[in-house]
Amino acid sequence: MLMMEDIVRDGHPILRKIATEVSMPPSEEDKEILKSLMEYVQNSQIPEISAQFGLRPGIGLAAPQINVSKRMIAVHVYDNKDKLYSYALFNPKIVSHSVEKAYLVSGEGCLSVDENIPGFVPRFARITLKGTTLDGEVVKFRLKGLPAICFQHEIDHLNGIMFYDHINKHDPFAPIEDAIAIER
């Protein structure tokens, strides 16, 4: 089981590298890594397990965050209608997105960033995502709201981008024109 000490922290060079594609079909080792990412995210959201093992709650985790520079992410998040989006994906890719932007009013956090970095993080309001599941199935789906933001955050990790790179350095809470404000 992954623990907090397995998660690399801000400043680690792997977080700024572009991760490599996972060759298909994935190796057993790659499958185990992807399963462990999902297991962490799910366990971290269960208060008893989170408290017992000192896990910081998270809704997504990318392989570079555990020092593996490969294109793998796990997301376990509910939208505003309590619909669960739970996906462990190899080689996730945004294939289309809206022009319209969205952001979380509360800002974003990251398991690799220990301090709170305030500010609005502009994201695409809607995305269409494609990836390969643990079972080898290629999936394609549309997302909006918190799930869309979460997937974009995790895919950024695969491209060496941190959430705070998107924050306006001069005015972190500057209004984002025509963007949807999302309450968490």
Side-chain angles (χ1 to χ4, degrees):
M1 184 169 112
L2 290 175
M3 302 297 222
M4 278 307 297
E5 55 266 22
D6 297 313
I7 297 174
V8 299
R9 296 308 200 277
D10 198 12
H12 192 291
I14 200 164
L15 293 174
R16 292 300 185 172
K17 281 180 68 176
I18 294 178
T20 56
E21 291 270 318
V22 178
S23 51
M24 293 290 129
S27 66
E28 285 307 308
E29 181 188 14
D30 285 341
K31 287 180 180 176
E32 287 306 311
I33 291 168
L34 186 53
K35 283 180 195 165
S36 72
L37 293 174
M38 179 56 86
E39 181 186 50
Y40 178 93
V41 176
Q42 290 174 334
N43 284 341
S44 78
Q45 293 180 32
I46 301 168
E48 303 78 41
I49 296 175
S50 173
Q52 181 183 352
F53 295 104
L55 307 179
R56 260 179 59 202
I59 56 175
L61 192 61
Q65 292 181 269
I66 60 163
N67 206 15
V68 175
S69 191
K70 291 188 175 181
R71 300 186 82 80
M72 295 186 250
I73 64 169
V75 169
H76 189 76
V77 64
Y78 292 88
D79 68 10
N80 60 351
K81 294 183 174 75
D82 279 336
K83 178 179 176 186
L84 176 63
Y85 292 84
S86 189
Y87 289 95
L89 297 173
F90 294 108
N91 304 322
K93 187 176 183 152
I94 295 170
V95 292
S96 68
H97 60 78
S98 63
V99 173
E100 187 176 30
K101 300 280 194 209
Y103 64 93
L104 292 178
V105 173
S106 60
E108 292 184 24
C110 180
L111 292 169
S112 292
V113 179
D114 291 329
E115 72 273 19
N116 177 33
I117 300 179
F120 296 147
V121 181
R123 301 280 187 191
F124 299 118
R126 291 171 303 287
I127 60 170
T128 300
L129 191 82
K130 190 175 175 182
T132 305
T133 67
L134 275 163
D135 301 326
E137 180 190 355
V138 175
V139 292
K140 187 176 174 183
F141 48 94
R142 291 177 55 84
L143 298 161
K144 64 181 184 180
L146 181 59
I149 287 173
C150 182
F151 276 94
Q152 289 173 80
H153 177 114
E154 298 313 324
I155 290 171
D156 269 359
H157 277 303
L158 306 181
N159 296 318
I161 299 166
M162 301 295 285
F163 76 91
Y164 55 76
D165 296 341
H166 297 288
I167 296 173
N168 180 328
K169 304 288 177 268
H170 305 293
D171 187 359
F173 293 101
I176 300 167
E177 192 115 348
D178 296 327
I180 300 168
I182 298 171
E183 302 282 344
R184 227 180 120 142

